């Protein structure tokens, strides 16, 4: 039996090594064909960086899958949609890579103080209202580096995003390892977070969501392990400052998460009633102080989502918040929408089907006392926050790593997979979704 297991491990190791060699060769060959020295340098640099983390073979495999995915969609959009950017349109990734950054360093160097002036001129006066000047500046800096080493290429920020996703998967695994000291769970979390279709797809483009998710996950891990370390605290303040200029709403949520992690789980459970009262009071104070801004934001997202989501999705967000609360939460389990209208929708559908099938394990994890209450609360806050605001397939990256950690642990700690409770919970989810659809249609 031992010989059989050893042979299996040897064959698996050989297959992994072969797959790495094939992917690396394909990526290198394409970049040589492309003739972009900056893209080649970015590829080599991030490949080398991945070797500084434990599990080198796994790291090389994952990051080369990520690079290959970036190259694939770079060509896919151009071949089928006429542009290298998401959907073939002038979407956010085009704006961040070209419209909002091109020409900046030629005029102002890499001094960030001119960002508002630059955006003001580009946007015809509305640039001062830009909601992510931090990510604009990151792409300005990437364009500067790219031009310095042979010419900027749009694959450069995509490769950086892949490396961010790699780090995100590593620290998600470290959170699981911190709690359960189980290498199998750690590696499973690492692989699932990186390879989850919507996570990998978003990271193959020039979106800020991967970096935002990385900051949230890394800060959570840091305050679990290093909250008494002055150097880490100083670094976390820098990250908070960066996050504020990436997306302000996430900075507010991160601040609450940090405050939550500064209190031990034991004390939260010991003074649970007081914790609930404190949370309610803080929530009321926050809502009272920022009531106009919060209502404006909710109404704006409600209108935007009603128009942005076609068909039934738009009707979900047409429901008043007091009626549409549960439907919106349910709707997010089914995002991205399952579809076969295009190749990328087909790929993303696998992730959505997984979300539905593994939902019962996520639900069971909420009642599992072996899971840190602070981890469960963090996931719920991020999930509800996305459900009540944007509910887009890009913003699910904020809570998905925490969901994966919860589900992987719950799945591994549950002996009976397809129990009656599993079937009942899955049926309840589907019935709730159907009810929500009917409600949205008739309201």
């Amino acid at each position: 039996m031992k010989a059989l297991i050893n042979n299996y491990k040897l064959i698996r190791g050989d297959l992994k090594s072969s797959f790495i060699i094939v992917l690396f060769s394909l990526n290198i060959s394409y970049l040589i064909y492309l003739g972009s020295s900056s893209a080649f340098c970015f590829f080599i640099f991030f490949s080398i960086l991945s070797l500084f983390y434990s599990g080198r073979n796994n790291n090389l495999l994952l990051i080369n899958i990520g690079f290959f995915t970036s190259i694939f969609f770079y060509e896919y959009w151009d071949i089928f949609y006429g542009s290298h950017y998401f959907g073939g349109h002038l979407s956010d990734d085009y704006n961040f890579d070209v419209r909002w950054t091109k020409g900046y360093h030629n005029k102002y160097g890499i001094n960030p103080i001119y960002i508002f002036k630059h955006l003001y001129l580009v946007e015809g006066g509305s640039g001062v209202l830009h909601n992510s000047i931090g990510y604009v500046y990151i792409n300005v800096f990437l364009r500067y580096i790219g031009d310095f080493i042979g010419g900027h290429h749009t694959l450069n920020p995509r490769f950086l995003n892949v490396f961010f996703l790699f780090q995100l998967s590593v620290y998600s695994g470290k959170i699981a390892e911190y709690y359960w000291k189980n290498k199998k769970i750690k590696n499973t979390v690492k692989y699932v977070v990186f390879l989850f279709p919507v996570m990998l797809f978003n990271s193959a483009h020039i979106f800020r969501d991967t970096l935002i998710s990385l900051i949230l996950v890394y800060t959570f891990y840091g305050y679990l392990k290093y909250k008494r370390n002055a150097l880490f605290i100083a670094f976390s303040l820098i990250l908070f400052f960066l996050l504020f200029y990436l997306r302000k709403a996430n900075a507010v949520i991160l601040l609450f998460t940090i405050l939550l992690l500064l209190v031990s789980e034991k004390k939260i459970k010991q003074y649970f009633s007081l914790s609930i009262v404190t949370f309610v009071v803080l929530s009321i104070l926050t809502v009272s102080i920022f009531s106009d801004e919060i209502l404006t934001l909710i109404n704006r997202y409600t209108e935007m989502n009603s128009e942005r989501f076609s068909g039934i999705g738009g009707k979900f967000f047409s429901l008043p918040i007091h009626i549409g609360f549960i439907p919106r939460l349910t709707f997010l389990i089914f995002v991205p929408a399952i579809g076969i209208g295009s190749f990328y929708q087909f790929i993303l559908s696998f992730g959505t089907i997984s979300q539905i099938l593994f939902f019962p394990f996520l639900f069971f994890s909420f009642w599992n006392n072996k899971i840190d209450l602070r981890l469960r609360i963090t996931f719920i806050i991020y999930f509800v926050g996305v459900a009540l605001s944007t509910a887009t397939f890009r913003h699910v990256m904020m809570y998905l790593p925490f969901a994966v950690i919860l589900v992987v642990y719950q799945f591994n700690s549950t002996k009976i997979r397809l129990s009656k409770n599993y079937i009942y919970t899955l049926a309840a989810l589907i019935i709730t979704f159907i009810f929500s659809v009917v409600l949205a249609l008739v309201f």
Side-chain angles (χ1 to χ4, degrees), residues 58-83:
N58 291 333
N59 298 345
L60 276 177
L61 175 61
L62 290 177
I63 206 159
N64 273 281
I65 289 173
F67 291 150
F68 182 83
T69 304
S70 295
I71 291 169
F72 175 86
F73 278 106
Y74 167 79
E75 289 292 345
Y76 169 81
W77 293 125
D78 187 51
I79 292 169
F80 293 101
Y81 295 85
S83 169

PDB file of all heavy atoms in Angstrom, residues 58-83:
ATOM      1  N   ASN A  58       4.182  24.511  -6.362  1.00  0.00           N
ATOM      2  CA  ASN A  58       2.793  24.972  -6.379  1.00  0.00           C
ATOM      3  C   ASN A  58       2.709  26.426  -6.826  1.00  0.00           C
ATOM      4  O   ASN A  58       1.818  26.801  -7.596  1.00  0.00           O
ATOM      5  CB  ASN A  58       2.160  24.834  -4.993  1.00  0.00           C
ATOM      6  CG  ASN A  58       1.944  23.386  -4.596  1.00  0.00           C
ATOM      7  OD1 ASN A  58       1.779  22.525  -5.446  1.00  0.00           O
ATOM      8  ND2 ASN A  58       1.959  23.114  -3.302  1.00  0.00           N
ATOM      9  N   ASN A  59       3.644  27.231  -6.341  1.00  0.00           N
ATOM     10  CA  ASN A  59       3.639  28.660  -6.674  1.00  0.00           C
ATOM     11  C   ASN A  59       3.869  28.893  -8.164  1.00  0.00           C
ATOM     12  O   ASN A  59       3.172  29.693  -8.796  1.00  0.00           O
ATOM     13  CB  ASN A  59       4.710  29.400  -5.870  1.00  0.00           C
ATOM     14  CG  ASN A  59       4.470  29.314  -4.378  1.00  0.00           C
ATOM     15  OD1 ASN A  59       3.388  28.949  -3.941  1.00  0.00           O
ATOM     16  ND2 ASN A  59       5.480  29.634  -3.592  1.00  0.00           N
ATOM     17  N   LEU A  60       4.864  28.198  -8.710  1.00  0.00           N
ATOM     18  CA  LEU A  60       5.156  28.338 -10.140  1.00  0.00           C
ATOM     19  C   LEU A  60       3.979  27.868 -10.993  1.00  0.00           C
ATOM     20  O   LEU A  60       3.666  28.461 -12.027  1.00  0.00           O
ATOM     21  CB  LEU A  60       6.414  27.557 -10.512  1.00  0.00           C
ATOM     22  CG  LEU A  60       7.750  28.261 -10.277  1.00  0.00           C
ATOM     23  CD1 LEU A  60       8.901  27.334 -10.635  1.00  0.00           C
ATOM     24  CD2 LEU A  60       7.841  29.552 -11.092  1.00  0.00           C
ATOM     25  N   LEU A  61       3.332  26.805 -10.542  1.00  0.00           N
ATOM     26  CA  LEU A  61       2.170  26.300 -11.276  1.00  0.00           C
ATOM     27  C   LEU A  61       1.052  27.328 -11.278  1.00  0.00           C
ATOM     28  O   LEU A  61       0.521  27.686 -12.341  1.00  0.00           O
ATOM     29  CB  LEU A  61       1.686  24.990 -10.642  1.00  0.00           C
ATOM     30  CG  LEU A  61       0.394  24.404 -11.233  1.00  0.00           C
ATOM     31  CD1 LEU A  61       0.581  24.088 -12.712  1.00  0.00           C
ATOM     32  CD2 LEU A  61      -0.035  23.169 -10.462  1.00  0.00           C
ATOM     33  N   LEU A  62       0.715  27.842 -10.095  1.00  0.00           N
ATOM     34  CA  LEU A  62      -0.393  28.788  -9.990  1.00  0.00           C
ATOM     35  C   LEU A  62      -0.117  30.071 -10.757  1.00  0.00           C
ATOM     36  O   LEU A  62      -0.965  30.543 -11.529  1.00  0.00           O
ATOM     37  CB  LEU A  62      -0.667  29.111  -8.516  1.00  0.00           C
ATOM     38  CG  LEU A  62      -1.282  27.988  -7.676  1.00  0.00           C
ATOM     39  CD1 LEU A  62      -1.420  28.425  -6.218  1.00  0.00           C
ATOM     40  CD2 LEU A  62      -2.631  27.566  -8.229  1.00  0.00           C
ATOM     41  N   ILE A  63       1.055  30.647 -10.568  1.00  0.00           N
ATOM     42  CA  ILE A  63       1.314  31.944 -11.180  1.00  0.00           C
ATOM     43  C   ILE A  63       1.420  31.831 -12.702  1.00  0.00           C
ATOM     44  O   ILE A  63       1.032  32.758 -13.436  1.00  0.00           O
ATOM     45  CB  ILE A  63       2.568  32.604 -10.562  1.00  0.00           C
ATOM     46  CG1 ILE A  63       2.450  34.133 -10.711  1.00  0.00           C
ATOM     47  CG2 ILE A  63       3.855  32.083 -11.174  1.00  0.00           C
ATOM     48  CD1 ILE A  63       3.308  34.899  -9.747  1.00  0.00           C
ATOM     49  N   ASN A  64       1.870  30.689 -13.206  1.00  0.00           N
ATOM     50  CA  ASN A  64       1.910  30.505 -14.655  1.00  0.00           C
ATOM     51  C   ASN A  64       0.531  30.247 -15.231  1.00  0.00           C
ATOM     52  O   ASN A  64       0.248  30.630 -16.370  1.00  0.00           O
ATOM     53  CB  ASN A  64       2.883  29.381 -15.029  1.00  0.00           C
ATOM     54  CG  ASN A  64       4.299  29.877 -15.192  1.00  0.00           C
ATOM     55  OD1 ASN A  64       4.659  30.439 -16.213  1.00  0.00           O
ATOM     56  ND2 ASN A  64       5.102  29.709 -14.141  1.00  0.00           N
ATOM     57  N   ILE A  65      -0.348  29.625 -14.453  1.00  0.00           N
ATOM     58  CA  ILE A  65      -1.751  29.519 -14.869  1.00  0.00           C
ATOM     59  C   ILE A  65      -2.347  30.916 -14.971  1.00  0.00           C
ATOM     60  O   ILE A  65      -3.066  31.245 -15.919  1.00  0.00           O
ATOM     61  CB  ILE A  65      -2.560  28.658 -13.870  1.00  0.00           C
ATOM     62  CG1 ILE A  65      -2.154  27.186 -13.975  1.00  0.00           C
ATOM     63  CG2 ILE A  65      -4.069  28.799 -14.135  1.00  0.00           C
ATOM     64  CD1 ILE A  65      -2.789  26.301 -12.914  1.00  0.00           C
ATOM     65  N   GLY A  66      -2.022  31.758 -13.982  1.00  0.00           N
ATOM     66  CA  GLY A  66      -2.521  33.133 -13.986  1.00  0.00           C
ATOM     67  C   GLY A  66      -2.013  33.931 -15.170  1.00  0.00           C
ATOM     68  O   GLY A  66      -2.776  34.635 -15.838  1.00  0.00           O
ATOM     69  N   PHE A  67      -0.713  33.828 -15.466  1.00  0.00           N
ATOM     70  CA  PHE A  67      -0.141  34.545 -16.608  1.00  0.00           C
ATOM     71  C   PHE A  67      -0.754  34.057 -17.926  1.00  0.00           C
ATOM     72  O   PHE A  67      -1.066  34.848 -18.818  1.00  0.00           O
ATOM     73  CB  PHE A  67       1.375  34.356 -16.661  1.00  0.00           C
ATOM     74  CG  PHE A  67       2.116  35.034 -15.541  1.00  0.00           C
ATOM     75  CD1 PHE A  67       3.306  34.519 -15.063  1.00  0.00           C
ATOM     76  CD2 PHE A  67       1.623  36.195 -14.965  1.00  0.00           C
ATOM     77  CE1 PHE A  67       3.997  35.150 -14.035  1.00  0.00           C
ATOM     78  CE2 PHE A  67       2.304  36.832 -13.937  1.00  0.00           C
ATOM     79  CZ  PHE A  67       3.487  36.309 -13.472  1.00  0.00           C
ATOM     80  N   PHE A  68      -0.929  32.740 -18.018  1.00  0.00           N
ATOM     81  CA  PHE A  68      -1.530  32.175 -19.230  1.00  0.00           C
ATOM     82  C   PHE A  68      -2.966  32.680 -19.402  1.00  0.00           C
ATOM     83  O   PHE A  68      -3.381  33.004 -20.531  1.00  0.00           O
ATOM     84  CB  PHE A  68      -1.522  30.645 -19.151  1.00  0.00           C
ATOM     85  CG  PHE A  68      -2.092  29.980 -20.380  1.00  0.00           C
ATOM     86  CD1 PHE A  68      -1.309  29.786 -21.504  1.00  0.00           C
ATOM     87  CD2 PHE A  68      -3.416  29.556 -20.406  1.00  0.00           C
ATOM     88  CE1 PHE A  68      -1.830  29.182 -22.644  1.00  0.00           C
ATOM     89  CE2 PHE A  68      -3.952  28.963 -21.536  1.00  0.00           C
ATOM     90  CZ  PHE A  68      -3.155  28.765 -22.656  1.00  0.00           C
ATOM     91  N   THR A  69      -3.714  32.779 -18.311  1.00  0.00           N
ATOM     92  CA  THR A  69      -5.092  33.279 -18.359  1.00  0.00           C
ATOM     93  C   THR A  69      -5.122  34.732 -18.811  1.00  0.00           C
ATOM     94  O   THR A  69      -5.974  35.128 -19.611  1.00  0.00           O
ATOM     95  CB  THR A  69      -5.767  33.152 -16.973  1.00  0.00           C
ATOM     96  OG1 THR A  69      -5.693  31.794 -16.539  1.00  0.00           O
ATOM     97  CG2 THR A  69      -7.231  33.581 -17.029  1.00  0.00           C
ATOM     98  N   SER A  70      -4.188  35.542 -18.310  1.00  0.00           N
ATOM     99  CA  SER A  70      -4.097  36.945 -18.724  1.00  0.00           C
ATOM    100  C   SER A  70      -3.835  37.058 -20.222  1.00  0.00           C
ATOM    101  O   SER A  70      -4.480  37.847 -20.922  1.00  0.00           O
ATOM    102  CB  SER A  70      -2.979  37.664 -17.959  1.00  0.00           C
ATOM    103  OG  SER A  70      -3.261  37.727 -16.590  1.00  0.00           O
ATOM    104  N   ILE A  71      -2.884  36.274 -20.698  1.00  0.00           N
ATOM    105  CA  ILE A  71      -2.553  36.289 -22.132  1.00  0.00           C
ATOM    106  C   ILE A  71      -3.745  35.810 -22.956  1.00  0.00           C
ATOM    107  O   ILE A  71      -4.069  36.384 -24.005  1.00  0.00           O
ATOM    108  CB  ILE A  71      -1.317  35.405 -22.405  1.00  0.00           C
ATOM    109  CG1 ILE A  71      -0.066  36.048 -21.784  1.00  0.00           C
ATOM    110  CG2 ILE A  71      -1.118  35.166 -23.897  1.00  0.00           C
ATOM    111  CD1 ILE A  71       1.148  35.136 -21.763  1.00  0.00           C
ATOM    112  N   PHE A  72      -4.409  34.754 -22.447  1.00  0.00           N
ATOM    113  CA  PHE A  72      -5.553  34.207 -23.173  1.00  0.00           C
ATOM    114  C   PHE A  72      -6.651  35.253 -23.358  1.00  0.00           C
ATOM    115  O   PHE A  72      -7.142  35.463 -24.473  1.00  0.00           O
ATOM    116  CB  PHE A  72      -6.112  32.993 -22.417  1.00  0.00           C
ATOM    117  CG  PHE A  72      -7.365  32.434 -23.031  1.00  0.00           C
ATOM    118  CD1 PHE A  72      -7.294  31.509 -24.061  1.00  0.00           C
ATOM    119  CD2 PHE A  72      -8.614  32.848 -22.592  1.00  0.00           C
ATOM    120  CE1 PHE A  72      -8.449  31.003 -24.644  1.00  0.00           C
ATOM    121  CE2 PHE A  72      -9.777  32.354 -23.173  1.00  0.00           C
ATOM    122  CZ  PHE A  72      -9.693  31.422 -24.194  1.00  0.00           C
ATOM    123  N   PHE A  73      -7.021  35.939 -22.277  1.00  0.00           N
ATOM    124  CA  PHE A  73      -8.114  36.907 -22.391  1.00  0.00           C
ATOM    125  C   PHE A  73      -7.668  38.185 -23.116  1.00  0.00           C
ATOM    126  O   PHE A  73      -8.491  38.854 -23.743  1.00  0.00           O
ATOM    127  CB  PHE A  73      -8.702  37.228 -21.020  1.00  0.00           C
ATOM    128  CG  PHE A  73      -9.690  36.197 -20.564  1.00  0.00           C
ATOM    129  CD1 PHE A  73      -9.356  35.293 -19.567  1.00  0.00           C
ATOM    130  CD2 PHE A  73     -10.937  36.105 -21.157  1.00  0.00           C
ATOM    131  CE1 PHE A  73     -10.250  34.318 -19.165  1.00  0.00           C
ATOM    132  CE2 PHE A  73     -11.846  35.135 -20.764  1.00  0.00           C
ATOM    133  CZ  PHE A  73     -11.504  34.238 -19.765  1.00  0.00           C
ATOM    134  N   TYR A  74      -6.391  38.488 -23.054  1.00  0.00           N
ATOM    135  CA  TYR A  74      -5.859  39.603 -23.835  1.00  0.00           C
ATOM    136  C   TYR A  74      -6.112  39.364 -25.328  1.00  0.00           C
ATOM    137  O   TYR A  74      -6.537  40.263 -26.063  1.00  0.00           O
ATOM    138  CB  TYR A  74      -4.357  39.744 -23.554  1.00  0.00           C
ATOM    139  CG  TYR A  74      -3.602  40.638 -24.502  1.00  0.00           C
ATOM    140  CD1 TYR A  74      -3.649  42.025 -24.385  1.00  0.00           C
ATOM    141  CD2 TYR A  74      -2.818  40.092 -25.532  1.00  0.00           C
ATOM    142  CE1 TYR A  74      -2.938  42.847 -25.254  1.00  0.00           C
ATOM    143  CE2 TYR A  74      -2.114  40.903 -26.398  1.00  0.00           C
ATOM    144  CZ  TYR A  74      -2.177  42.275 -26.258  1.00  0.00           C
ATOM    145  OH  TYR A  74      -1.479  43.077 -27.131  1.00  0.00           O
ATOM    146  N   GLU A  75      -5.889  38.124 -25.776  1.00  0.00           N
ATOM    147  CA  GLU A  75      -6.126  37.766 -27.172  1.00  0.00           C
ATOM    148  C   GLU A  75      -7.610  37.509 -27.443  1.00  0.00           C
ATOM    149  O   GLU A  75      -8.133  37.872 -28.497  1.00  0.00           O
ATOM    150  CB  GLU A  75      -5.314  36.519 -27.540  1.00  0.00           C
ATOM    151  CG  GLU A  75      -3.813  36.763 -27.637  1.00  0.00           C
ATOM    152  CD  GLU A  75      -3.435  37.651 -28.819  1.00  0.00           C
ATOM    153  OE1 GLU A  75      -4.278  37.846 -29.721  1.00  0.00           O
ATOM    154  OE2 GLU A  75      -2.298  38.166 -28.833  1.00  0.00           O
ATOM    155  N   TYR A  76      -8.277  36.890 -26.485  1.00  0.00           N
ATOM    156  CA  TYR A  76      -9.701  36.541 -26.649  1.00  0.00           C
ATOM    157  C   TYR A  76     -10.551  37.770 -26.943  1.00  0.00           C
ATOM    158  O   TYR A  76     -11.353  37.781 -27.887  1.00  0.00           O
ATOM    159  CB  TYR A  76     -10.185  35.847 -25.368  1.00  0.00           C
ATOM    160  CG  TYR A  76     -11.681  35.657 -25.278  1.00  0.00           C
ATOM    161  CD1 TYR A  76     -12.314  34.606 -25.928  1.00  0.00           C
ATOM    162  CD2 TYR A  76     -12.467  36.530 -24.513  1.00  0.00           C
ATOM    163  CE1 TYR A  76     -13.687  34.425 -25.827  1.00  0.00           C
ATOM    164  CE2 TYR A  76     -13.838  36.359 -24.409  1.00  0.00           C
ATOM    165  CZ  TYR A  76     -14.449  35.302 -25.067  1.00  0.00           C
ATOM    166  OH  TYR A  76     -15.807  35.133 -24.965  1.00  0.00           O
ATOM    167  N   TRP A  77     -10.387  38.816 -26.145  1.00  0.00           N
ATOM    168  CA  TRP A  77     -11.188  40.031 -26.350  1.00  0.00           C
ATOM    169  C   TRP A  77     -10.904  40.656 -27.709  1.00  0.00           C
ATOM    170  O   TRP A  77     -11.824  41.148 -28.380  1.00  0.00           O
ATOM    171  CB  TRP A  77     -10.916  41.046 -25.238  1.00  0.00           C
ATOM    172  CG  TRP A  77     -11.372  40.638 -23.880  1.00  0.00           C
ATOM    173  CD1 TRP A  77     -10.614  40.564 -22.747  1.00  0.00           C
ATOM    174  CD2 TRP A  77     -12.693  40.262 -23.495  1.00  0.00           C
ATOM    175  NE1 TRP A  77     -11.369  40.152 -21.683  1.00  0.00           N
ATOM    176  CE2 TRP A  77     -12.652  39.964 -22.100  1.00  0.00           C
ATOM    177  CE3 TRP A  77     -13.912  40.131 -24.170  1.00  0.00           C
ATOM    178  CZ2 TRP A  77     -13.780  39.553 -21.399  1.00  0.00           C
ATOM    179  CZ3 TRP A  77     -15.035  39.712 -23.464  1.00  0.00           C
ATOM    180  CH2 TRP A  77     -14.961  39.432 -22.109  1.00  0.00           C
ATOM    181  N   ASP A  78      -9.650  40.630 -28.113  1.00  0.00           N
ATOM    182  CA  ASP A  78      -9.296  41.254 -29.389  1.00  0.00           C
ATOM    183  C   ASP A  78      -9.838  40.451 -30.581  1.00  0.00           C
ATOM    184  O   ASP A  78     -10.376  41.015 -31.540  1.00  0.00           O
ATOM    185  CB  ASP A  78      -7.778  41.378 -29.501  1.00  0.00           C
ATOM    186  CG  ASP A  78      -7.349  42.167 -30.723  1.00  0.00           C
ATOM    187  OD1 ASP A  78      -7.873  43.279 -30.919  1.00  0.00           O
ATOM    188  OD2 ASP A  78      -6.506  41.668 -31.484  1.00  0.00           O
ATOM    189  N   ILE A  79      -9.738  39.132 -30.508  1.00  0.00           N
ATOM    190  CA  ILE A  79     -10.171  38.281 -31.614  1.00  0.00           C
ATOM    191  C   ILE A  79     -11.695  38.332 -31.802  1.00  0.00           C
ATOM    192  O   ILE A  79     -12.196  38.453 -32.923  1.00  0.00           O
ATOM    193  CB  ILE A  79      -9.703  36.820 -31.395  1.00  0.00           C
ATOM    194  CG1 ILE A  79      -8.171  36.735 -31.493  1.00  0.00           C
ATOM    195  CG2 ILE A  79     -10.361  35.876 -32.409  1.00  0.00           C
ATOM    196  CD1 ILE A  79      -7.606  35.407 -31.041  1.00  0.00           C
ATOM    197  N   PHE A  80     -12.423  38.248 -30.690  1.00  0.00           N
ATOM    198  CA  PHE A  80     -13.884  38.133 -30.792  1.00  0.00           C
ATOM    199  C   PHE A  80     -14.634  39.457 -30.588  1.00  0.00           C
ATOM    200  O   PHE A  80     -15.793  39.564 -30.971  1.00  0.00           O
ATOM    201  CB  PHE A  80     -14.401  37.106 -29.775  1.00  0.00           C
ATOM    202  CG  PHE A  80     -13.962  35.706 -30.067  1.00  0.00           C
ATOM    203  CD1 PHE A  80     -12.906  35.134 -29.365  1.00  0.00           C
ATOM    204  CD2 PHE A  80     -14.568  34.964 -31.072  1.00  0.00           C
ATOM    205  CE1 PHE A  80     -12.480  33.840 -29.645  1.00  0.00           C
ATOM    206  CE2 PHE A  80     -14.155  33.671 -31.351  1.00  0.00           C
ATOM    207  CZ  PHE A  80     -13.104  33.102 -30.643  1.00  0.00           C
ATOM    208  N   TYR A  81     -13.968  40.471 -29.984  1.00  0.00           N
ATOM    209  CA  TYR A  81     -14.676  41.711 -29.671  1.00  0.00           C
ATOM    210  C   TYR A  81     -13.978  42.964 -30.210  1.00  0.00           C
ATOM    211  O   TYR A  81     -14.478  44.071 -30.051  1.00  0.00           O
ATOM    212  CB  TYR A  81     -14.870  41.842 -28.159  1.00  0.00           C
ATOM    213  CG  TYR A  81     -15.775  40.778 -27.584  1.00  0.00           C
ATOM    214  CD1 TYR A  81     -15.270  39.529 -27.228  1.00  0.00           C
ATOM    215  CD2 TYR A  81     -17.133  41.015 -27.399  1.00  0.00           C
ATOM    216  CE1 TYR A  81     -16.098  38.545 -26.699  1.00  0.00           C
ATOM    217  CE2 TYR A  81     -17.971  40.042 -26.862  1.00  0.00           C
ATOM    218  CZ  TYR A  81     -17.446  38.808 -26.521  1.00  0.00           C
ATOM    219  OH  TYR A  81     -18.269  37.830 -26.002  1.00  0.00           O
ATOM    220  N   GLY A  82     -12.795  42.782 -30.789  1.00  0.00           N
ATOM    221  CA  GLY A  82     -12.133  43.903 -31.445  1.00  0.00           C
ATOM    222  C   GLY A  82     -11.326  44.820 -30.562  1.00  0.00           C
ATOM    223  O   GLY A  82     -10.875  45.880 -30.999  1.00  0.00           O
ATOM    224  N   SER A  83     -11.100  44.437 -29.300  1.00  0.00           N
ATOM    225  CA  SER A  83     -10.278  45.239 -28.390  1.00  0.00           C
ATOM    226  C   SER A  83      -9.681  44.309 -27.350  1.00  0.00           C
ATOM    227  O   SER A  83     -10.250  43.260 -27.038  1.00  0.00           O
ATOM    228  CB  SER A  83     -11.122  46.323 -27.712  1.00  0.00           C
ATOM    229  OG  SER A  83     -10.400  46.929 -26.651  1.00  0.00           O
TER     230      SER A  83
END
